[in-house]
Amino acid sequence: MTQVIVIGSINYDILSTMQRAPRAGETVNGETVQLMPGGKGLNQAVAAVQQGVPVRFVGKVGRDMFGDRILGFFAEKGIEASHVGRSEDEATGSALILVDATAENRIVVIPAANRQIAPADAEGLALAPGDLLVSQFEVPRTTIAALFAKGRAAGARTLLNAAPALDDAPDSLWTDTDILVVNETELGHFAGVELSGDAPVSDIAAAARRLLRRPDQTVIATLGVRGALAVTAEAETLVPGRKVVAVDTTGAGDCFVGSLSARLAAGDDLAAAMRYANVAASIACTRIGTGTAMPYAEEVRAAL
């Protein structure tokens, strides 16, 4: 089996639930608070490894208590972390997450050590044909571009989750991305079009095609309860979603990306991997949390 290699962000999350989030200048009572490992990169790596594929991680934490806890968490999950460095002058990244009674979230991210991830952090990383490199926009885009170029030269595949929607990525990164995953908001941002939450599939497909840089690329738009749409230069594949009673949608997108990556690495075709990832993400929505909310393979298979 090929491996999933995540070049990604690591945060320690402080997540609080409440009936409604405060307005400007207002204080409200919360209901629960949890401290847990998070960050888009970490969440995606956990989602992937819990589907039974080997996962390696390239990232950075601080020399602090949270960095120690993250490395222990990786060891517990079986994520190979020899390329997770420790910053000498930045703390481990963190995020403040507010989740209201409707499962909507508000998030403040403090990148800290994540800003320092550099191509040198992947020195000595073994890449093989068929390996899957995965990254997101919570780490330096120039670093992703350098490692994606290295990966493609070695015959690996690349999957980019362009979230959050930032505009400083080198052109080479878009060209070296084999599979691009975005939600409707991110898709509209990068395509330069307005897309409503219930935009017709034809409009979403047209916007996705504006992001293609090579004829063999794929753009996947995640559509929440409507599922996910994969678009290539010549075809479209719509995979339906799965309705659940959501309590926290914070890690759903990361669960989709990590589970999709795992199934692609395991040999599934794109449509099958998307169906699996949709189910996994729906399960994550029924749990409070981020990295700790990712389902295991047996849970996903039972719900397929």
Side-chain angles (χ1 to χ4, degrees), residues 39-251:
K40 294 187 73 63
L42 180 146
N43 296 341
Q44 292 170 11
V46 173
V49 80
Q50 290 183 178
Q51 308 319 308
V53 302
V55 176
R56 302 174 69 92
F57 203 98
V58 178
K60 189 158 285 188
V61 295
R63 292 192 178 277
D64 51 28
M65 174 182 67
F66 291 133
D68 294 342
R69 289 183 179 180
I70 291 291
L71 293 176
F73 180 77
F74 277 160
E76 174 190 324
K77 292 295 182 182
I79 297 170
E80 205 289 320
S82 61
H83 287 86
V84 176
R86 305 202 75 159
S87 172
E88 299 297 335
D89 56 1
E90 286 276 12
T92 300
S94 56
L96 309 177
I97 305 171
L98 305 182
V99 180
D100 67 21
T102 69
E104 291 296 323
N105 57 60
R106 294 163 176 82
I107 304 173
V108 178
V109 174
I110 300 92
N114 293 308
R115 286 188 289 248
Q116 296 183 342
I117 302 171
D121 291 313
E123 187 174 346
L125 180 68
L127 296 170
D131 284 347
L132 193 64
L133 272 67
V134 180
S135 196
Q136 338 72 34
F137 274 5
E138 286 188 339
V139 300
R141 274 61 67 192
T142 52
T143 296
I144 306 170
L147 297 184
F148 271 24
K150 179 180 177 181
R152 291 196 71 226
R157 292 177 293 172
T158 57
L159 187 154
L160 177 65
N161 177 210
L166 302 173
D167 293 318
D168 60 352
D171 286 344
S172 63
L173 176 56
W174 299 107
T175 303
D176 281 332
T177 295
D178 294 318
I179 301 171
L180 174 66
V181 180
V182 286
N183 64 23
E184 289 163 294
T185 301
E186 293 148 0
L187 173 60
H189 175 85
F190 290 118
V193 299
E194 290 289 335
L195 288 174
S196 63
D198 58 353
V201 168
S202 58
D203 290 355
I204 294 168
R209 288 200 171 90
R210 296 180 66 154
L211 303 185
L212 296 172
R213 301 293 184 91
R214 308 190 328 252
D216 58 344
Q217 286 177 312
T218 299
V219 175
I220 297 176
T222 57
L223 309 176
V225 295
R226 292 200 289 166
L229 176 69
V231 175
T232 65
E234 298 179 350
E236 300 168 15
T237 302
L238 178 63
V239 174
R242 176 174 177 260
K243 291 184 178 181
V244 296
V245 178
V247 298
D248 180 10
T249 60
T250 307

